[in-house]
Every structure is written in C-alpha cells, then in structure tokens.
Amino acid sequence: MEIKLPVYFKYTVIILGIILLIWLLQMFQSVLVPLAFAMLFALLLLPLIRDMEYKFRIPRPLAILLSIVLIVVILALVIWFLSVQLLSLTSELDTIGDNIGNLVDKVQLFLFKKFGIIPSGKSELVRNAVGSLQDIATTFLGNTISITTGAIAAFTLVPIFVFCLLYYRDHLQQFMFQFVAKDRRSSMMQTVSNIQSVVQSYISGLMIVIVIVSLLNSAGLLILGVKYAIFFGIFASILTIIPYIGIMIGALLPALFTLATTGHLIDAVLVVLVFAFVQFLEGNFITPYIVGSKVSINPFAAIVALLIGGEIWGAAGMILSIPFIAMLKVMFDVYEPLKPIGFLLADIDDVAPKRHRKVTNWLQEIWNGLGRGKRNDDENKAA
C-alpha cells in the first residue's frame, strides 16, 4: 500500500537533506576534497592508462604509477618556477613601496593644482605602510609554511586515491551493478561514460587552454616590457581554473605591479587591455573550439556553483565546482524527475542550437561568402 505524503513534507525533507549534505561535506572536508581531486585526475588519466595496458601491454600497477609520476613531475616543475619567480618578486617590495609613495605624492599634487584639494598628509603613512610589506610578506610566508604542512598531508592522499580508483575500477563497476537491475545496466554504463567524457573533455581542454593563454599573456606582457612577464602570464592563465573571477585577479596583479614600478597609469591600462584582449580570444575562440559544448553549463549556473563551492570548500570548492556541476547535469538529464533542473543548468546554445555567438556568426558569414565567391569563379572559368 502506497503512502502519500503531503507536498510540504516532501520539500521539507529535501531541504533538510540538502542542509545535512552540506554539513557533512564541510565536516569531512579533509577527506572529501582529496578524494574529489583524485576522481578528476583518475578520469583524466583513464584513457592514457587504458592505452598503456592494451596497446603496450604494460601491467596496470606500473601504468598507473607512470601516469601519476608524469602528473607529479609536471606540477612540481610549475610550482618550482612560480616559487622562484615569487621569491624574486618579493625582493623588490621596498622599491615598489617607494614608487607607490611617490605616486601618491604626485596624485595629491595634481589634485591640489587642478581642484584645490589640500593634501591630507597621508602620503608618508601610505609609504610606511607599503614599505612594511616586506615584514607582511615574511609573516605571510611563515603562515604559508604552516598551512602548507597540512596541505602536503592532504595532497599526499590524492596520488593514493588516484591509484586505488584506477586499480580497482573494475571492482567499483561491479559494485555499482549491485544496485542496478540487469536490464538497466547498459543505461547506467552509458551515463557513466557520458560523465567520463564530460570530465575528460573539461580537464584536458582546460589544460590546453591554460598553455595557450599563458603564451598569449606572456607574449603581450613581454611586448609591453613588463618585468616578470612570463610569471604573470603563467600565473594569470592558471587562475582561469577559477571561472570568471580568476582572470580578473590575474589581470589586476600585473597591472598594479606595473603601476607601482613605472608610476605611469597608461602602462597599467595597457596591461589590462592585453589581458582583456586575451580574455576575448579565450572566451570566443579558444575555449569554445577546444573544450567544445560538452561542458554546457550556462554562466548564471556556473557563477552560483562557484559561490556555493567557495562557501563549502573554499578555493578547492571553486576549482571543483564547474566539473562537478557538469557531472550533476549529466545525471539530471538521465533521471526523468530531475530533467527540469538539467534544463535550467543547460547553456542557451544547447536549448536553442540555431542561435550562435555574434563573432562566430560573423566569421561564418565571411567564410560562406568566400566559399560562394570561389564557386562563382570556378563556374565562370568552366563557362
């Protein structure tokens, strides 16, 4: 006999379940965050490991170890380069403090001459405050070392989790089959395959985008003669992992550094323009053609997921928010009662595929026009 519950009771239970889930995610953050990153890395490495196993006949444990070592070496090289550049950058904090103090004096003098605003006498205070950045940086580095100790303990779990997930993947598949009827297992495997495709497309595409954007950023800053151009270019491209907000932070730091070192506002504006141009290329050409439409989440849903992920897991949650909401969308699209939520998360281009970006549509019209012109020339020659 089916028991019918009131609608308000169902929604109350759902809300309480969501609150309990968020509490559990925060309570077990130290375990769940490394496990979440391990799942993403495992999905990313899965095609490589399969090729090593079946094409090159490498035993599964050795193939997994080689793949993990490759990822660790790449990340270690990137971290080493950024650390060396950052240490060199902190050695110039005293010079930067003096330049900012002089810049404040110039601004106050300009305001006094043009608008009659009397200097407030705060330039010396600003100079002293900025000049003490060396002490602040030292304290920050000391705190970072203590935080990093816990972070290293957490990140050492990631390779272990990756190894276990990849090594026992067949066992995990059989475990999932225990909850699904035999006639529905093919549908479940198709859903799992779609999730793998989404995550692999997002992560591999993101890595390619980071490399291309870092080259464009560094080239633009080198043309402008910005010091530590390669560092700022790579740093800003890595911040694109955090959608929408990362690129803003990546552009702000080199702009402020350039303003502090040169004292000319136009130089900082040019730096911002370089990043704005690269962001235009990345948003309209690079990411759409590399990542494609597989991670089809609309910007509003992405921003909400970004904020929620940041509230639950901090910076790690912001990084994980987009791939995980893409995975949820795949499951929502399969499960009939949750299809409206999948529709809400979907990008407009998926709902209305005939609508294209203006830039893409404009380029497509030019390409079609060139094609029609070539065909007309061929017809005239044949005539």
Side-chain angles (χ1 to χ4, degrees):
M1 181 177 180
E2 183 180 357
I3 300 177
K4 294 185 178 180
L5 299 175
V7 177
Y8 68 86
F9 181 79
K10 292 182 179 179
Y11 286 116
T12 302
V13 173
I14 292 174
I15 293 173
L16 292 176
I18 294 174
I19 294 174
L20 178 61
L21 176 62
I22 293 175
W23 180 80
L24 290 174
L25 290 175
Q26 292 178 331
M27 178 64 63
F28 297 98
Q29 177 179 352
S30 59
V31 176
L32 294 178
V33 170
L35 182 60
F37 277 107
M39 290 175 58
L40 295 182
F41 281 116
L43 291 173
L44 177 64
L45 295 175
L46 184 58
L48 175 62
I49 292 173
R50 282 176 175 170
D51 291 339
M52 295 173 69
E53 287 183 32
Y54 299 112
K55 291 183 179 180
F56 302 101
R57 303 297 181 181
I58 299 177
R60 177 175 295 185
L62 181 59
I64 297 173
L65 286 175
L66 291 176
S67 302
I68 292 176
V69 169
L70 177 63
I71 295 295
V72 170
V73 169
I74 294 174
L75 292 178
L77 290 175
V78 173
I79 294 174
W80 171 79
F81 173 78
L82 295 178
S83 301
V84 171
Q85 294 291 311
L86 185 60
L87 290 175
S88 179
L89 179 62
T90 54
S91 64
E92 298 189 12
L93 287 178
D94 292 334
T95 304
I96 294 174
D98 294 336
N99 291 339
I100 292 180
N102 295 331
L103 182 62
V104 171
D105 292 337
K106 292 179 181 179
V107 171
Q108 288 188 339
L109 182 61
F110 172 80
L111 294 176
F112 177 72
K113 290 182 178 180
K114 296 293 183 180
F115 305 102
I117 299 177
I118 300 175
S120 59
K122 295 181 180 180
S123 60
E124 187 66 27
L125 178 63
V126 172
R127 185 182 295 108
N128 293 333
V130 178
S132 63
L133 282 176
Q134 186 71 50
D135 299 332
I136 297 175
T138 304
T139 304
F140 174 77
L141 289 175
N143 294 333
T144 302
I145 292 173
S146 61
I147 295 174
T148 305
T149 304
I152 291 175
F155 281 112
T156 51
L157 294 176
V158 175
I160 298 174
F161 287 158
V162 171
F163 183 90
C164 293
L165 290 173
L166 292 172
Y167 185 77
Y168 296 107
R169 63 179 186 268
D170 297 331
H171 185 69
L172 294 174
Q173 177 179 319
Q174 295 299 322
F175 168 75
M176 290 189 294
F177 283 164
Q178 302 298 320
F179 299 94
V180 182
K182 292 184 178 180
D183 57 339
R184 295 184 179 180
R185 289 180 180 178
S186 60
S187 176
M188 185 201 72
M189 291 306 300
Q190 182 61 41
T191 302
V192 173
S193 177
N194 292 338
I195 292 175
Q196 291 177 356
S197 177
V198 166
V199 175
Q200 290 167 4
S201 173
Y202 174 77
I203 298 178
S204 60
L206 183 62
M207 296 299 104
I208 298 173
V209 168
I210 287 176
V211 172
I212 296 175
V213 171
S214 64
L215 293 175
L216 294 175
N217 289 338
S218 301
L221 295 178
L222 286 172
I223 293 174
L224 295 178
V226 177
K227 296 182 65 176
Y228 305 103
I230 298 178
F231 166 75
F232 285 123
I234 296 177
F235 181 72
S237 65
I238 293 175
L239 288 178
T240 56
I241 295 176
I242 304 175
Y244 306 106
I245 298 177
I247 191 65
M248 297 172 59
I249 301 175
L252 183 62
L253 291 178
L256 293 176
F257 176 79
T258 303
L259 179 63
T261 53
T262 63
H264 298 93
L265 182 61
I266 186 64
D267 294 333
V269 173
L270 290 176
V271 170
V272 173
L273 290 177
V274 166
F275 280 94
F277 178 69
V278 174
Q279 173 64 16
F280 170 78
L281 294 178
E282 183 268 333
N284 290 279
F285 300 100
I286 300 174
T287 298
Y289 288 101
I290 292 177
V291 179
S293 60
K294 292 184 179 181
V295 188
S296 52
I297 303 297
N298 65 71
F300 176 71
I303 293 174
V304 173
L306 189 70
L307 296 176
I308 294 176
E311 286 293 326
I312 296 176
W313 283 348
M318 298 175 73
I319 296 173
L320 294 168
S321 59
I322 301 302
F324 271 88
I325 195 175
M327 295 167 61
L328 288 176
K329 181 184 177 300
V330 173
M331 292 185 285
F332 292 159
D333 291 339
V334 174
Y335 188 53
E336 190 67 30
L338 296 178
K339 277 189 176 181
I341 300 179
F343 176 84
L344 180 64
L345 298 177
D347 196 359
I348 297 177
D349 291 337
D350 291 342
V351 179
K354 293 183 179 180
R355 298 179 61 183
H356 301 287
R357 296 173 180 263
K358 293 182 178 180
V359 176
T360 306
N361 194 25
W362 174 66
L363 292 176
Q364 187 66 35
E365 291 178 359
I366 294 177
W367 179 260
N368 293 336
L370 293 175
R372 286 193 297 268
K374 184 178 180 181
R375 287 194 299 270
N376 293 334
D377 293 338
D378 293 340
E379 292 174 359
N380 293 333
K381 291 179 180 179

